[in-house]
Amino acid sequence: MNKDRIISLLNQDLEGEHSAIIQYLTHAYAMGEGEMACEIEAIAREEMRHLDWLAETIVELGGIPSLKRGEMRMGGSKVSEWMKNNVLLEEDAIDLYQQHITLIDEAKIKRILQRILSDEKSHHGDFEHFISKSQREGAKDIRGNRIDKTVETLNWGIEHEYTVILQYMFQSYMATNPETKKQLEDQAINEMQHLGWLAEKIVDISGNPRIEHTEVEQSTNTSEMLQSDIKIEEVVAAEYDRAAKETENPGLKELLLRLRDHEIYHAEVFSDLLKEEEQ
Ligand SMILES: [Fe+2]
Ligand SMILES: [Fe+2]
Ligand SMILES: [Fe+2]
């Protein structure tokens, strides 16, 4: 099979991982703290590792990792119905990986896909177990429908965080300088934490986190990409600072100031990298 065809199959797998991550995180956040939510979040983290392996393989083949998200299976009004949807999503993934393992001859890639497939089979079993467990234990959707300025600001934060996660991961995959690659990856992981904190805070105050992103800057020129990253970080740091000053809620203020400080740190890290790059 030619390289382009393999790249396109792997990108299809990657888009599937992306949808699984967002579907599972949405469920985990909606359920609040608790054992099952933690286990679902752990499964989402395994899907992140899959996405990472697939993206690195695509880049090794000379391809560009897709930033598209595959079809999610959202919907359902009860946790048990969500878990059923997760079982179905894992079945979609298992079918696709089995097809791709048959189609691709390259031993190393086959091995990676086999490894992912074995995880998906295990997730499938976990979610089947969660269907009955959620019925037995009465697991609940604890989100509310509060809509106000605070929820709006926090959702704006999620939108920003999700966008930069994709942007920094993409840039990290495409970067050739090892230090730049590592820093972008580190900051992307930090932004994932931010997304989680914001989503949990929204659920805490009876809102509904909206996990969507805006346009991702996909420049592969290192200076250009670092310049746009610095600009985003500065804008978002100022916005978190503004929101922190506006709120009377001490817990929320603390969260927003912590986020602000992290974003300032990111801007400084990127500025250093840019200086090195331009020398
Ligand atoms: Fe996966
Ligand atoms: Fe999975
Ligand atoms: Fe952030």
Side-chain angles (χ1 to χ4, degrees), residues 7 17 71 73 91 97 99 108 192 199-200 218 235:
I7 291 167
E17 296 294 345
E71 284 291 313
R73 288 181 176 269
E91 282 170 8
Y97 281 117
Q99 284 175 36
K108 189 183 161 198
M192 289 176 203
E200 281 160 10
Q218 290 180 58
V235 169

Side-chain angles (χ1 to χ4, degrees), residues 144 146 148 150-151 154 200-207 249 252:
R146 172 171 163 178
D148 61 11
T150 306
V151 173
L154 295 172
E200 281 160 10
K201 178 57 84 180
I202 292 176
V203 173
D204 239 29
I205 62 170
S206 306
N249 177 324
L252 183 60

Side-chain angles (χ1 to χ4, degrees), residues 51-79:
L51 187 149
D52 195 54
W53 296 338
L54 291 164
E56 294 290 3
T57 310
I58 289 164
V59 172
E60 269 173 44
L61 289 166
I64 296 175
S66 168
L67 291 174
K68 278 192 231 134
R69 185 169 76 199
E71 284 291 313
M72 294 196 287
R73 288 181 176 269
M74 290 305 227
S77 56
K78 286 189 295 208
V79 173

Side-chain angles (χ1 to χ4, degrees), residues 75-97:
S77 56
K78 286 189 295 208
V79 173
S80 60
E81 291 167 2
W82 299 350
M83 296 306 119
K84 177 72 193 154
N85 277 330
N86 296 352
V87 168
L88 294 174
L89 196 75
E90 291 293 342
E91 282 170 8
D92 296 341
I94 290 167
D95 284 348
L96 201 64
Y97 281 117

Side-chain angles (χ1 to χ4, degrees), residues 18-27 69 72 74 162 211:
H18 187 166
S19 58
I21 294 164
I22 302 303
Q23 179 167 323
Y24 303 161
L25 286 180
T26 301
H27 293 161
R69 185 169 76 199
M72 294 196 287
M74 290 305 227
Y162 187 4
I211 311 187

Side-chain angles (χ1 to χ4, degrees), residues 17 20 24 43-44 46-47 50 86 89-90 93-94 97 116 119-124 127:
E17 296 294 345
Y24 303 161
I43 294 177
E46 291 196 348
E47 312 296 14
H50 298 166
N86 296 352
L89 196 75
E90 291 293 342
I94 290 167
Y97 281 117
I116 297 178
D119 282 345
E120 309 305 13
K121 286 180 177 163
S122 155
H123 298 161
H124 183 268
F127 285 126

Side-chain angles (χ1 to χ4, degrees), residues 88-217:
L88 294 174
L89 196 75
E90 291 293 342
E91 282 170 8
D92 296 341
I94 290 167
D95 284 348
L96 201 64
Y97 281 117
Q98 272 164 342
Q99 284 175 36
H100 292 181
I101 288 164
T102 323
L103 285 168
I104 297 172
D105 317 306
E106 237 270 298
K108 189 183 161 198
I109 299 174
K110 242 184 174 33
R111 195 161 62 227
I112 293 171
L113 298 183
Q114 291 279 13
R115 167 70 172 78
I116 297 178
L117 176 63
S118 86
D119 282 345
E120 309 305 13
K121 286 180 177 163
S122 155
H123 298 161
H124 183 268
D126 292 338
F127 285 126
E128 278 201 312
H129 168 68
F130 292 159
I131 296 177
S132 53
K133 189 177 167 160
S134 58
Q135 282 163 338
R136 214 170 42 238
E137 295 177 3
K140 275 199 186 69
D141 177 1
I142 62 160
R143 291 173 300 184
N145 41 27
R146 172 171 163 178
I147 302 168
D148 61 11
K149 193 94 199 310
T150 306
V151 173
E152 213 176 280
T153 302
L154 295 172
N155 264 324
W156 174 87
I158 290 184
E159 189 180 77
H160 155 76
E161 301 296 344
Y162 187 4
T163 306
V164 292
I165 291 165
L166 295 177
Q167 182 160 320
Y168 300 165
M169 281 175 42
F170 178 81
Q171 294 175 346
S172 159
Y173 295 132
M174 303 306 288
T176 45
N177 176 321
E179 175 63 12
T180 307
K181 193 179 176 70
K182 187 184 170 295
Q183 284 297 347
L184 285 162
E185 192 191 350
D186 272 7
Q187 308 327 323
I189 292 169
N190 193 215
E191 309 295 15
M192 289 176 203
Q193 272 185 302
H194 293 177
L195 191 154
W197 294 343
L198 289 160
E200 281 160 10
K201 178 57 84 180
I202 292 176
V203 173
D204 239 29
I205 62 170
S206 306
N208 186 350
R210 192 185 58 236
I211 311 187
E212 292 300 339
H213 65 85
T214 53
E215 210 187 315
V216 178
E217 161 66 45

Side-chain angles (χ1 to χ4, degrees), residues 164 166-185 216-233 266-267 269-271 273-274 277-278:
V164 292
L166 295 177
Q167 182 160 320
Y168 300 165
M169 281 175 42
F170 178 81
Q171 294 175 346
S172 159
Y173 295 132
M174 303 306 288
T176 45
N177 176 321
E179 175 63 12
T180 307
K181 193 179 176 70
K182 187 184 170 295
Q183 284 297 347
L184 285 162
E185 192 191 350
V216 178
E217 161 66 45
Q218 290 180 58
S219 162
T220 49
N221 171 297
T222 312
S223 292
E224 260 173 46
M225 105 199 166
L226 288 168
Q227 274 160 6
S228 71
D229 297 347
I230 294 165
K231 205 162 114 203
I232 289 194
E233 293 293 347
H266 298 163
V269 168
F270 294 149
S271 299
L273 289 170
L274 181 63
E277 186 64 31
E278 284 174 344

